[in-house]
Amino acid sequence: MNTCIFHSVNSGLYFWDGLAGLLVDGIHAGGEQGFSPMPAFLAGQLARRAGLFAHTDGVLFTHLHGDHFLRTGLRHLLDTQPRPGVYGPELPETRASIRPIRPGLCRVQLAGAYILAKDTVHDGEVFRNEPHQSYLIRMGGETFFIAGDAALTPEDAAAFSGFYGGEVDAGFFNLYQLSSPQGQDFLRILRPRRIFLEHLPFREDDRFHYRSLARQAARSLPGDLSRAEILPHMSWIDGNAAQWDPHEKGEMTDDLSGIPVQGSLF
């Protein structure tokens, strides 16, 4: 892939196409759900509008649960200049170009990316009525699918399939989506070239053993589907890091793990 993609923790993903940066579900809490809060290193960058946050032109959220979204962090970002574009289902801070296609489906333009946003049902009976969307993102000449916490169906896949023409370069999924028969049928229709398994906490926060379940889900994926790659935390996919100006204040280096930051914003 040509697009540089950084994965922090939980569902946090950052896309850089050489011109603009898009952050997805990357400003969050999470401990109360058994996931991880936003890493202190990135929270410090957000507080200073440095590093990754010096190159964030748009922020996108699949839904507003604490392990994906933190309003205080978003408001801090929106208090700085230049203000990024923002989009999320029923999010009051939304600042993006939105064009409805049909009920439950729209096209969003944000940070130089074209995004097909579809209403999807959050997994779990207690969350079924929570506003939630999944996204097909066209950025830097490549196409990426973001599942969020959706209970994916073949009907969802049909809505996304072929929208931008050509194949989907990568899809990002949680362990339940890869384990469910409907989720696997979704994959057979969408056919992403690479399947990434994410939405996992750091090891020290993993009180529900999600990491072990993820390894089992990856091993159990049917052979007619692409191999699932479990995303390592705090790293660039394939080591393909964004090449920002090395003299710029607050540049984010390739090695982001284990760097303490005092005075976290959160």
Side-chain angles (χ1 to χ4, degrees):
M1 293 182 295
N2 297 319
T3 305
C4 301
I5 306 173
F6 178 76
H7 174 51
S8 54
V9 70
N10 300 354
S11 293
L13 294 164
Y14 172 82
F15 297 82
W16 172 257
D17 67 358
L19 297 174
L22 177 66
L23 181 66
V24 182
D25 286 350
I27 302 173
H28 57 83
E32 62 277 13
Q33 289 94 0
F35 290 95
S36 295
M38 186 177 178
F41 178 60
L42 292 181
Q45 288 192 347
L46 173 57
R48 304 188 309 275
R49 193 67 190 268
L52 181 149
F53 286 97
H55 302 273
T56 294
D57 303 287
V59 287
L60 179 69
F61 299 96
T62 58
H63 60 299
L64 307 186
H65 287 174
D67 53 331
H68 294 254
F69 171 78
L70 185 64
R71 178 161 270 109
T72 55
L74 175 61
R75 286 178 175 168
H76 179 84
L77 183 62
L78 293 177
D79 284 340
T80 63
Q81 295 295 330
R83 294 181 71 190
V86 181
Y87 181 79
E90 298 190 11
L91 182 63
E93 293 89 347
T94 285
R95 300 173 60 252
S97 173
I98 304 169
R99 181 168 64 86
I101 297 174
R102 62 175 186 264
L105 191 69
C106 65
R107 190 166 184 175
V108 179
Q109 191 169 355
L110 183 67
Y114 292 91
I115 303 164
L116 181 66
K118 184 183 185 302
D119 289 351
T120 45
V121 176
H122 193 297
D123 191 25
E125 190 63 34
V126 69
F127 300 126
R128 289 186 63 83
N129 294 322
E130 299 273 351
H132 184 285
Q133 289 185 333
S134 300
Y135 302 118
L136 192 67
I137 300 172
R138 183 69 177 168
M139 187 175 187
E142 295 178 306
T143 303
F144 308 102
F145 177 73
I146 306 291
D149 285 349
L152 296 170
T153 68
E155 291 74 22
D156 293 327
F160 287 114
S161 184
F163 186 83
Y164 291 115
E167 65 181 354
V168 174
D169 293 278
F172 298 86
F173 304 91
N174 67 32
L175 67 94
Y176 299 111
Q177 292 156 349
L178 297 190
S179 300
S180 75
Q182 280 202 321
Q184 293 169 7
D185 286 342
F186 177 98
L187 290 171
R188 291 185 177 96
I189 296 171
L190 192 69
R191 285 285 174 188
R193 190 166 56 85
R194 295 177 74 176
I195 296 172
F196 292 109
L197 197 165
E198 39 102 67
H199 202 353
L200 299 173
F202 290 128
R203 181 176 288 105
E204 60 269 24
D205 300 321
D206 190 14
R207 66 178 187 267
F208 297 124
H209 308 291
Y210 290 128
R211 295 161 65 94
S212 175
L213 292 171
R215 291 191 292 270
Q216 181 178 340
R219 289 194 300 266
S220 302
L221 203 62
D224 63 320
L225 298 173
S226 298
R227 177 178 63 90
E229 305 173 57
I230 299 178
L231 280 183
H233 292 134
M234 298 295 283
S235 64
W236 297 90
I237 291 179
D238 298 334
N240 181 25
Q243 300 300 307
W244 295 319
D245 183 349
H247 303 294
E248 183 176 356
K249 180 181 178 182
E251 181 195 15
M252 185 170 70
T253 62
D254 293 357
D255 182 10
L256 300 177
S257 58
I259 303 176
V261 174
Q262 301 301 318
S264 169
L265 179 66
F266 312 123

